[in-house]
């Protein structure tokens, strides 16, 4: 089990890198969430069908699942943060031009730019954040990094609608793209290259090809990826279907949206608290403790739509997601010479698997009912708890 840690000072240059990638995460995710907001606009302008919209969303997801490990592999060999700084600009360009798409093919290209930009940013952004934070405050700073992305995702739809209503679709990219380009240029000039310690870590192992490195990383952190996939699958499944569940009980669409926002906010704040706590008492205690507690509150929260149950649901989401930065920190600590690629596995790949899991959950819900299905989903973190407890008992 991880031991107690004490924080050590972080250099001024490392702080610039930290807050640079934290800011860029929010900027990137604020624009990469534009697709759901823009779909109704494209439905009017180019007669976009729901099937076509679903394919655009699938393009975004698949690019991240398969692109992030490859870009992470390349990023681990770069001395300068090319992907972390300029990936968000590509996302911004695609998101800003998407409302102007004159055809489905053009929309496909713009969504491709958004998804590639996001895939470029996340592995190296997470890796640079971890490297700059160092070992002592790693989980806490990764929690700030992830909280910035969550905040960007939450305000993204509101931001896009506001900007287009204020400026109009043609002026939106003209105003936004140059401003973001200047921000990226400024951060590029002030974010440091790899440190000497990182360069030594890179040289410690022989050079490997992509699939050799992938096999090595899976052997080191495959169990972490499995845990994060279960955790994220539970979170995504309940989050996606929660508004529908509330509406079937008589709640309004607005109530469903507010509940979803509150759930996301509680999960974001819990991630920061979990990261800070992990740096004090240890990663595994936070990870497995939070996963063991979360089903209790989730089951109560899914019972009905009373205020007490909804509060319980918020608490359940908080415990479920409190370990999000912790698992990333654990992966980076095990593979410090491949921070970007290992982060793509513990974040991007697990997120993709979780989103794929939502499809069978929906199919089963059509057969046995949404309430019963989500009740079963809420218990899934206890699979991790049982396996962890069994492993601990076998070691005694």
């Amino acid at each position: 089990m991880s031991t107690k840690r004490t924080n050590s000072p972080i250099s001024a240059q490392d702080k610039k890198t930290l807050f640079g990638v934290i800011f860029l995460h929010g900027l990137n995710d604020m624009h990469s969430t534009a697709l759901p907001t823009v779909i109704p606009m494209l439905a009017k302008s180019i007669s976009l069908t729901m099937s076509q919209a679903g394919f655009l969303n699938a393009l975004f997801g698949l690019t991240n699942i398969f692109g992030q490990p490859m870009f992470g592999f390349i990023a681990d060999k770069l001395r300068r943060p090319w992907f972390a700084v300029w990936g968000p600009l590509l996302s911004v360009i695609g998101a800003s031009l998407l409302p102007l798409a004159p055809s489905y093919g053009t929309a496909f290209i713009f969504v491709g730019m958004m998804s590639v930009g996001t895939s470029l940013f996340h592995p190296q952004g997470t890796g640079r954040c971890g490297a700059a934070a160092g070992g002592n405050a790693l989980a806490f700073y990764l929690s700030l990094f992830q909280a910035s992305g969550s905040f960007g995702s939450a305000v993204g739809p509101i931001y896009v609608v506001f900007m287009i209503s204020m400026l109009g679709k043609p002026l939106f990219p003209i105003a936004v793209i140059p401003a973001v380009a200047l921000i990226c240029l400024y951060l590029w000039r002030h974010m440091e290259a790899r440190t000497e310690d990182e360069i030594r870590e890179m040289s410690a192992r022989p050079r490997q090809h992509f699939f050799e490195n992938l096999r090595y990383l899976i052997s080191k952190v495959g169990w972490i990826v499995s845990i994060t996939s279960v955790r994220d699958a539970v979170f995504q499944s309940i989050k996606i279907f929660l508004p529908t569940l509330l509406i079937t009980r008589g709640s309004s669409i607005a109530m469903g949206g507010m509940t979803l926002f509150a759930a996301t906010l509680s999960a974001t704040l819990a991630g920061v608290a979990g990261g800070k706590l992990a740096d004090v008492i240890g990663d595994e205690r936070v990870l497995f403790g939070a996963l063991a507690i979360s089903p209790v509150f989730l089951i109560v929260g899914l019972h009905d739509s009373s205020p007490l149950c909804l509060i319980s649901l918020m608490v359940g989401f908080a415990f479920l997601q409190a370990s999000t930065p912790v698992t990333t920190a654990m992966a980076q600590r095990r593979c410090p010479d491949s921070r970007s690629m290992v982060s793509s596995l513990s974040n991007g790949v697990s997120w993709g698997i979780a989103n794929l899991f939502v499809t069978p959950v929906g199919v089963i819900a059509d057969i046995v009912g949404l309430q019963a299905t989500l009740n079963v989903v809420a218990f899934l973190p206890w699979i991790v708890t049982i396996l962890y407890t069994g492993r601990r008992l076998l070691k005694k």
Side-chain angles (χ1 to χ4, degrees):
M1 183 171 289
S2 302
T3 57
K4 184 177 178 178
R5 303 182 184 92
T6 56
N7 289 339
S8 59
I10 297 176
S11 69
Q13 187 60 50
D14 281 339
K15 285 183 178 180
K16 290 181 181 179
T17 299
L18 277 169
F19 292 111
V21 293
I22 288 172
F23 171 79
L24 285 168
H25 194 193
L27 181 69
N28 182 89
D29 287 15
M30 186 166 64
H31 290 84
S32 66
T33 55
L35 181 58
T37 306
V38 177
I39 283 175
M41 304 178 194
L42 296 179
K44 292 183 178 179
S45 61
I46 62 173
S47 301
L48 185 75
T49 66
M50 291 301 100
S51 296
Q52 291 174 325
F55 190 72
L56 290 177
N57 189 67
L59 169 67
F60 196 94
L62 290 173
T63 303
N64 278 272
I65 293 173
F66 295 106
Q68 283 203 33
M70 179 62 74
F71 293 140
F73 176 73
I74 298 172
D76 283 322
K77 300 178 181 300
L78 299 175
R79 294 180 65 93
R80 294 282 290 165
W82 288 94
F83 295 169
V85 173
W86 300 111
L89 179 60
L90 190 60
S91 297
V92 170
I93 293 173
S96 301
L97 295 176
L98 184 59
L100 297 172
S103 64
Y104 180 70
T106 311
F108 187 89
I109 293 173
F110 292 154
V111 172
M113 293 172 66
M114 294 164 57
S115 57
V116 170
T118 298
S119 297
L120 286 168
F121 168 76
H122 279 92
Q124 192 175 43
T126 312
R128 294 303 300 143
C129 182
N136 293 330
L138 179 59
F140 174 66
Y141 280 103
L142 285 173
S143 73
L144 294 182
F145 177 84
Q146 294 178 356
S148 176
S150 298
F151 178 78
S153 298
V155 303
I158 301 172
Y159 156 80
V160 171
V161 171
F162 174 78
M163 292 295 289
I164 291 178
S165 63
M166 290 292 293
L167 301 174
K169 289 192 290 186
L171 289 180
F172 182 33
I174 295 175
V176 172
I177 294 175
V180 172
L182 289 174
I183 292 172
C184 291
L185 179 61
Y186 173 82
L187 292 174
W188 170 255
R189 296 182 63 180
H190 287 83
M191 286 172 61
E192 66 175 3
R194 287 184 179 274
T195 63
E196 293 301 321
D197 288 342
E198 289 181 273
I199 294 173
R200 283 194 292 270
E201 286 175 348
M202 291 172 62
S203 304
R205 264 197 311 122
R207 291 183 178 273
Q208 293 178 310
H209 297 297
F210 172 75
F211 289 107
E212 291 175 330
N213 201 47
L214 182 62
R215 284 194 295 270
Y216 168 76
L217 294 182
I218 290 176
S219 71
K220 299 284 285 186
V221 302
W223 66 277
I224 296 177
V225 177
S226 299
I227 291 172
T228 57
S229 296
V230 173
R231 179 195 64 207
D232 294 348
V234 174
F235 182 75
Q236 283 293 102
S237 298
I238 298 178
K239 180 180 175 181
I240 291 295
F241 294 112
L242 179 60
T244 303
L245 179 65
L246 294 177
I247 290 171
T248 58
R249 293 173 178 165
S251 298
S252 64
I253 295 177
M255 182 62 182
M258 290 175 59
T259 303
L260 194 58
F261 176 79
T264 304
L265 181 62
S266 67
T268 300
L269 296 176
V272 176
K276 186 66 175 179
L277 187 61
D279 287 325
V280 176
I281 68 172
D283 298 330
E284 290 190 6
R285 289 178 179 175
V286 173
L287 170 59
F288 294 106
L291 289 179
I293 295 172
S294 63
V296 177
F297 291 96
L298 290 175
I299 288 296
V300 174
L302 291 169
H303 181 67
D304 62 45
S305 301
S306 67
L308 184 61
C309 286
L310 292 180
I311 292 173
S312 178
L313 191 63
M314 302 306 103
V315 176
F317 270 119
F319 275 107
L320 187 64
Q321 291 299 97
S323 64
T324 301
V326 178
T327 48
T328 304
M330 292 170 70
Q332 289 197 16
R333 287 191 177 107
R334 281 160 177 76
C335 305
D337 51 348
S338 298
R339 290 182 186 273
S340 298
M341 189 172 180
V342 80
S343 296
S344 74
L345 297 177
S346 63
N347 283 331
V349 171
S350 63
W351 175 82
I353 293 172
N355 277 272
L356 293 177
F357 182 78
V358 173
T359 300
V361 169
V363 173
I364 296 172
D366 285 335
I367 299 173
V368 304
L370 186 56
Q371 176 74 61
T373 303
L374 292 184
N375 283 342
V376 173
V377 169
F379 279 111
L380 292 181
W382 278 348
I383 294 177
V384 175
T385 303
I386 292 170
L387 293 176
Y388 175 71
T389 303
R391 189 184 72 170
R392 296 278 296 177
L393 291 174
L394 288 174
K395 286 184 176 180
K396 292 183 178 180

